[in-house]
Amino acid sequence: WKNKKLSEMSRRDWRILREDFDIRLRGGKAPNPLRYWEESGICEEIQKALAEMNFKTPSPIQRQAIPIGMEFRDVIGIAETGSGKTAAFVIPMIHYIQQVPRHMRDRTPQDGPLALIMAPTRELAIQIETETKKIARHTSIRVVSIVGGVSIQEQGFKVREGCDIIIATPGRMLDCMSNRYVVLNQCNYIVLDEADRMVDMGFEPQVNEIMNSMATLLKAENEEEMERQ
């Protein structure tokens, strides 16, 4: 498969590629994995950032998760620490934000972010923020973290200036929402990093409450219910 053109790839070639990288799938029909970054459909700005970060070829989780994410489909990805999971979910997220109508990005100061990443600990959230900013460095995408140890008012001010992606821990995120520093009126894209760990740490009720608050304006089917929300 390494020496073939994309158009020449057979089903057997794709199967061998998955076997080579120990990529295993369950669920619905998934798109073919990535062979090379140039074939990914990722914008030039991200590809430039990946080159600067020395991401020469996609890792196994990136090869399969990115094409699924680029189709805006739900995915659960399992891979070892240090396998490039952050890029695997951040790249499709940036791709999504670049597709939304301009007026939605202009409304982020009033209606909140377009995407949300939740992590179980402050340290992991800050790590994700650093990686996300590196990947998005050549785009106009704005990233804000909401974690403990920083003034909640200061974080709320940054969100109110307008941001596309929020990276947060569940407890601090819920505090910000309760105090009306953050709303999720147009947030349709969410990533739960280390979701199993969040459940083990007792964050499931907070995560569910946050997810139930997402994009309520877009859920309502009749005008009266939309106005109430």
Side-chain angles (χ1 to χ4, degrees):
W1 59 266
K2 293 177 184 176
N3 303 316
K4 288 189 174 183
K5 292 181 181 175
L6 194 58
S7 57
E8 295 172 348
M9 291 284 287
S10 66
R11 287 177 67 179
R12 181 174 177 274
D13 293 325
W14 290 116
R15 192 183 75 247
I16 291 169
L17 190 158
R18 285 194 174 107
E19 287 172 357
D20 284 350
F21 293 103
D22 194 23
I23 296 170
R24 283 168 279 180
L25 291 168
R26 291 183 188 174
K29 189 177 183 334
N32 292 323
L34 283 181
R35 301 194 309 166
Y36 309 108
W37 291 120
E38 311 85 70
E39 298 174 352
S40 64
I42 297 166
C43 69
E44 286 180 20
E45 292 88 349
I46 295 177
Q47 294 214 36
K48 185 179 177 184
L50 294 174
E52 291 169 355
M53 295 166 73
N54 208 27
F55 281 28
K56 291 186 171 66
T57 56
S59 70
I61 186 72
Q62 292 164 357
R63 287 180 189 276
Q64 191 59 74
I66 289 172
I68 297 172
M70 298 271 279
E71 292 185 355
F72 309 139
R73 291 169 59 183
D74 293 341
V75 59
I76 297 173
I78 302 171
E80 293 175 358
T81 301
S83 57
K85 289 197 296 290
T86 304
F89 60 71
V90 166
I91 289 170
M93 180 177 276
I94 292 172
H95 178 72
Y96 162 74
I97 292 168
Q98 289 175 324
Q99 309 302 310
V100 302
R102 182 70 228 182
H103 66 82
M104 287 180 71
R105 293 193 66 187
D106 292 341
R107 282 206 315 255
T108 56
Q110 298 81 35
D111 288 332
L114 301 168
L116 172 64
I117 301 170
M118 280 200 287
T121 65
R122 177 179 182 269
E123 292 73 24
L124 181 57
I126 291 169
Q127 188 182 315
I128 296 167
E129 179 191 20
T130 302
E131 193 85 352
T132 303
K133 285 181 174 177
K134 283 181 185 175
I135 296 169
R137 72 175 74 172
H138 299 298
T139 72
S140 59
I141 284 168
R142 301 153 297 178
V143 182
V144 170
S145 64
I146 293 179
V147 295
V150 181
S151 159
I152 195 169
Q153 291 86 357
E154 185 183 320
Q155 290 171 340
F157 178 73
K158 283 183 180 177
V159 172
R160 287 300 185 192
E161 284 186 317
C163 68
D164 302 296
I165 299 172
I166 284 180
I167 301 162
T169 50
R172 176 52 70 97
M173 183 68 184
L174 210 50
D175 287 345
C176 283
M177 290 169 64
S178 301
N179 289 294
R180 303 298 292 172
Y181 288 121
V182 181
V183 293
L184 298 174
N185 290 346
Q186 55 180 4
C187 183
N188 288 304
Y189 200 120
I190 186 166
V191 168
L192 306 178
D193 195 19
E194 299 197 5
D196 52 346
R197 194 170 160 205
M198 277 195 274
V199 171
D200 291 343
M201 292 171 71
F203 287 129
E204 190 173 1
Q206 291 97 319
V207 170
N208 284 332
E209 193 171 338
I210 291 163
M211 290 178 73
N212 287 335
S213 302
M214 286 174 59
T216 51
L217 288 174
L218 302 179
K219 288 178 186 171
E221 291 183 5
N222 64 71
E223 209 166 322
E224 188 179 328
E225 175 64 9
M226 186 176 73
E227 192 63 32
R228 186 190 70 76
Q229 291 179 351

